[in-house]
Amino acid sequence: MLKSRIEYNARKLRNNMTPAEVILWKMLKGKQLDNRKFRRQQIIGYYIIDFYCPSEHLAIELDGPIHNTTKAKQSDMKRDAYLIEHGIKVLRFKNGMVLKDPDTLLNKIRNSFDWKTKAQ
C-alpha cells in the first residue's frame, strides 16, 4: 500500500515538475551531461529524489521557497542523512541557480562525478 502511494506520488511529481526542474531535466536527460544517465523523481527507500544518477550514486535536489521552513529543513536533513547512510552523495541547489546560472550548476554536478574514487 505504502509503496504504491510513493510510486503514485513520484509519477505525479514527474508530470508536474517545477519550472526549475523542467530546465534542469532538459540539460540532464539523454546522457547529455558527460554521458551520465539521470532519472527524475527516483524512489529511494521512502523518499522521492528530484534527480538521481545511478552510476555516480548521486542525488540532486532542487530547493524552492518551501524548503526554507524549519520543518522542511529538518525533513531535508533526515532525507540527506538516509541517502548518505546508503552511500549516496546529495547535492542541493536553490531553484534560482538553475534559472540564473545553469553553467555553474552543471559544473558543480560534473565536479562531483567519481566522488567515491576522489574520497579514497
Side-chain angles (χ1 to χ4, degrees), residues 25 28-29 31-44 49-61 83 87-91 109-110 112-116:
W25 180 239
L28 296 177
K29 71 179 181 177
K31 296 185 177 183
Q32 292 183 80
L33 186 62
D34 293 2
N35 203 36
R36 300 312 201 280
K37 179 175 179 57
F38 282 85
R39 297 177 183 157
R40 59 190 169 131
Q41 310 307 335
Q42 175 68 43
I43 298 169
I44 299 177
I49 309 307
D50 290 340
F51 301 97
Y52 181 66
C53 179
S55 65
E56 297 294 332
H57 304 280
L58 175 65
I60 300 171
E61 289 292 313
L83 294 171
I88 297 170
K89 180 174 183 153
V90 180
L91 296 180
I109 295 170
R110 187 177 284 117
S112 73
F113 291 160
D114 301 320
W115 67 274
K116 283 190 169 187

Side-chain angles (χ1 to χ4, degrees), residues 5-116:
R5 190 179 78 179
I6 293 172
E7 290 170 345
Y8 170 80
N9 287 338
R11 193 169 25 259
K12 188 173 160 186
L13 288 168
R14 271 192 296 279
N15 292 326
N16 296 293
M17 295 193 308
T18 66
E21 288 173 339
V22 170
I23 291 168
L24 183 56
W25 180 239
K26 285 180 182 178
M27 294 185 277
L28 296 177
K29 71 179 181 177
K31 296 185 177 183
Q32 292 183 80
L33 186 62
D34 293 2
N35 203 36
R36 300 312 201 280
K37 179 175 179 57
F38 282 85
R39 297 177 183 157
R40 59 190 169 131
Q41 310 307 335
Q42 175 68 43
I43 298 169
I44 299 177
Y46 294 107
Y47 297 104
I48 302 171
I49 309 307
D50 290 340
F51 301 97
Y52 181 66
C53 179
S55 65
E56 297 294 332
H57 304 280
L58 175 65
I60 300 171
E61 289 292 313
L62 295 183
D63 295 343
I66 196 166
H67 290 266
N68 293 333
T69 67
T70 301
K71 185 176 179 179
K73 287 179 183 180
Q74 290 172 342
S75 178
D76 288 344
M77 285 175 41
K78 184 177 175 185
R79 171 201 308 244
D80 291 355
Y82 175 87
L83 294 171
I84 291 165
E85 186 179 300
H86 287 82
I88 297 170
K89 180 174 183 153
V90 180
L91 296 180
R92 286 191 167 276
F93 300 102
K94 300 281 186 198
N95 282 347
M97 188 170 189
V98 177
L99 305 171
K100 294 176 186 163
D101 197 0
D103 291 334
T104 298
L105 183 139
L106 290 176
N107 282 330
K108 287 181 183 245
I109 295 170
R110 187 177 284 117
N111 288 337
S112 73
F113 291 160
D114 301 320
W115 67 274
K116 283 190 169 187

